[in-house]
Structures are given as structure tokens and as C-alpha cells.
Amino acid sequence: MTTMETHTLALPGVDLVYDVRSPLSASDDHRTLLMIGQPMTAEGFNALATHFTDRTVVTYDPRGLGRSVRSDGRSDHTPQQQAADLHLLIEALGAAPVDVFASSGGAVTALELVASHPGDVATLVAHEPPITGVLPDAAAAERAQAVVHEAYQAKGMGAGMAAFMALVSWQGEFTDAYFAQPAPDPAAFGLPTEDDGSRDDPLLSKASGTVTDYRPDAAALTAAPTRIVIAVGEETAGTYTARTAVATAALLGQEAVVFPSHHGGFLDGEFGYAGKPAEFAARLREVLDAG
């Protein structure tokens, strides 16, 4: 069992909100485990955190997302800014070096954190970082992402998310066959067909474009004392995020480690995605303990 407390860290341009789950009985056997995502916020790790009651688990809402209201007048979500925020959060916790499980865009942030502040992290498990530039078909992948943005700008969230689903479910490189497809029907994915007029979705707008455009510093990452594990879902083989994970691992001179389920394999029905959180947690524990 654990107790959970919510805190706010006042940083320049943002009040960063984070949750600390602490074991009821004190233990020094494990490092603090930080779970991060982007654009997913802290609640996305609720199911996974329940499987780590033997250590302190920290989750947070990244700058400008969820409860972390920003006052810097910006709307972009850069890995560099988020990594700087995390460095200050780890410093405030007084827990360095921590272990980190990082999902999707959060995995990109975590790679930047290790490159910029190598003493902050002991083990990083970076699950399917969506880094387009590591792909052999990077230019075509960027074009596919532009199609998503254009659909969102033209017709709203339903059309944009349908285009996004088509992108992330495509198998293999983005060929002419991909671009020859008709625009996907939002209703086929259970998405709204009406346009509510909003254009500020962090995933579909260009606010998070710096995440997929990120260029990892392989030299800094391999030189860091951090043990870096790039993870890939067993059910996502051949898709965009699986391919970026495999290519990122190769960039670091390693092979991606297979985890149960898919891109959201640690979710327990949150956000419409049901993974295998118990099996995922067991694999994560195995990987962390190996360090």
C-alpha cells in the first residue's frame, strides 16, 4: 500500500504539479521511480503505479498540460524545456539519481534529460520514443505527419485523430501506397464527425512538433553514466513508434527490449486503450532490477 500526496513546484513560467506515491513502510531497497509521458499527464500512469508499491513513485503533468498551468505565454512543448523542468523537479525531490519509465513523447523528454543532466538518472526505460529523424524514410514520415496536421486544421479533432490513427497503425515505411489512401472516416474510429472549432490539441497541432523533430545526441547519451533501455511493444512491430524505437536503440548501439502489449501497454482502459498493465509492470520491474 502507498500514500499519495500532490505538490506544486513553482518554476519560471509554470506551476508544475506532481504526485508522490510513498510506501507505507519505509524501504531503501529501490530508487525513486519517475513515470513520465507527453502529451499524457500523470493519471495515465495510475494503473502502472499500483504495481510498484515497494518504492516511491512520482508522476507529473508536463508544463502546459493538465494541472501544470503555464504563465510564460507559450504553447509549444519542447523536450529541452520539459527536461529542464524535470531536472528541477528531481532536484526538489532530493532523490537523484532516479529511475525513469518514460512513454512516447515522455521518452523523448527523458533522453534529453539524460543528455543534459546525466547525473539525474540511474536507469531510463524509454518506451517507443517517436523520433522521426532516426527512420530511413524520415522525409516520408514527416510528410505523413503533415497530413495529420492538415486534416486537423481543415476539419477539426475527429478528422485529425483519424488521420493520426491511420499513421500510427501503418505497417512499414511510408510509401506511395500510404499517401494514395482516401482520408480515413472519423466515425470508423468512433470519433466525432462534427468540428468543435478548437485547434489547440497538443497532439494534433504543431505544439508538440519539436518532440517528433527531436535529434538525440548519441555521443552524449552513450557517454552518460545512465543505463538506457529502449523498449518496444510486442504488438506494435512494424508501426511508426516501433520502428522509431528500434532505430533509436540502433543509434545507441543496442537492441530494443520487447515489452508486453502495444504503445499504451501499461494502460488499464484509460483513454480508450486497454493494455496489459500487470504483465507490463512485471517486465518493467525485471528490467529495472537488472540494473
Side-chain angles (χ1 to χ4, degrees):
M1 297 292 292
T2 60
T3 60
M4 188 175 83
E5 295 182 352
T6 297
H7 303 271
T8 300
L9 179 62
L11 300 179
V14 67
D15 286 334
L16 204 71
V17 179
Y18 63 99
D19 304 311
V20 179
R21 294 172 173 85
S22 302
L24 290 180
S25 57
S27 172
D28 296 326
D29 294 339
H30 301 286
R31 285 181 288 268
T32 294
L33 175 58
L34 183 60
M35 298 180 177
I36 63 174
Q38 202 281 329
M40 188 175 65
T41 49
E43 69 270 18
F45 297 102
N46 285 344
L48 185 60
T50 63
H51 295 277
F52 290 90
T53 57
D54 57 341
R55 67 198 72 193
T56 297
V57 175
V58 179
T59 56
Y60 90 126
D61 291 355
R63 175 181 294 247
L65 297 170
R67 302 163 295 174
S68 292
V69 179
R70 65 195 305 173
S71 57
D72 57 7
R74 301 175 66 100
S75 60
D76 55 335
H77 304 287
T78 71
Q80 293 79 8
Q81 179 63 75
Q82 292 183 2
D85 289 345
L86 283 173
H87 170 64
L88 293 174
L89 173 57
I90 293 168
E91 189 175 75
L93 291 169
V98 299
D99 287 338
V100 177
F101 170 70
S103 168
S104 195
V108 179
T109 296
L111 289 169
E112 174 60 24
L113 174 64
V114 170
S116 302
H117 304 282
D120 282 359
V121 183
T123 295
L124 164 62
V125 179
H127 188 252
E128 300 198 357
I131 302 173
T132 300
V134 297
L135 295 176
D137 57 325
E142 290 172 357
R143 180 185 169 195
Q145 290 162 349
V147 169
V148 173
H149 177 69
E150 290 162 6
Y152 177 58
Q153 289 298 320
K155 297 183 179 180
M157 192 279 287
M161 186 57 73
F164 176 78
M165 295 300 291
L167 184 154
V168 298
S169 61
W170 181 259
Q171 289 282 325
E173 296 190 4
F174 294 101
T175 61
D176 290 342
Y178 176 83
F179 297 104
Q181 298 177 109
D185 180 7
F189 295 96
L191 296 165
T193 56
E194 298 292 327
D195 184 354
D196 66 5
S198 65
R199 295 295 185 274
D200 58 357
D201 185 275
L203 179 64
L204 301 175
S205 69
K206 288 188 175 180
S208 298
T210 52
V211 175
T212 53
D213 290 345
Y214 180 73
R215 296 294 187 267
D217 186 339
L221 291 170
T222 54
T226 304
R227 172 176 168 252
I228 300 173
V229 177
I230 306 298
V232 62
E234 65 182 349
E235 297 175 15
T236 55
T239 62
Y240 167 73
T241 54
R243 294 196 300 123
T244 58
V246 170
T248 300
L251 181 70
L252 301 181
Q254 58 180 260
E255 292 185 0
V257 175
V258 177
F259 269 60
S261 197
H262 46 65
H263 189 65
F266 53 90
L267 297 170
D268 188 16
E270 299 99 331
F271 314 106
Y273 294 98
K276 299 176 181 177
E279 293 92 334
F280 195 100
R283 182 63 167 138
L284 178 57
R285 181 181 292 276
E286 178 184 278
V287 170
L288 292 174
D289 287 350

